[in-house]
Amino acid sequence: MKLLDKIEKFEAERKSAEENYRAFGVDREEHQKKMLEFIHKKMEEAKGR
C-alpha cells in the first residue's frame, strides 16, 4: 500500500470517528476522558474481588 493510500485511509477513519462522536453528542477528548474513567472503575472493581 502506498503512503498516500495509507494517509487517505487514516483520514477517512478519523472523519468517521469524529462523526460518531458528534452523533453521541461528545467530542474526541470528552470520549477519551469517559473511557479512561470507565477503565479505571473496572480496574478498581477487579481489585476488590
Side-chain angles (χ1 to χ4, degrees), residues 2 10-11 21 25-26 29 32-34 41 45:
K2 293 181 182 178
F10 174 81
E11 186 63 21
Y21 296 139
V26 297
E29 290 79 16
Q32 287 178 337
K33 180 182 173 195
K34 288 181 179 182
K41 178 182 173 186
E45 289 175 1

Side-chain angles (χ1 to χ4, degrees), residues 3-40:
L3 181 59
L4 183 58
D5 293 337
K6 289 181 181 182
I7 292 170
E8 288 173 349
K9 181 181 178 200
F10 174 81
E11 186 63 21
E13 290 173 355
R14 185 193 63 75
K15 285 181 181 179
S16 176
E18 290 293 328
E19 290 171 5
N20 288 334
Y21 296 139
R22 276 189 242 114
F24 287 100
V26 297
D27 60 16
R28 188 173 71 84
E29 290 79 16
E30 186 177 352
H31 177 263
Q32 287 178 337
K33 180 182 173 195
K34 288 181 179 182
M35 288 306 296
L36 283 173
E37 290 171 355
F38 174 77
I39 291 167
H40 287 287

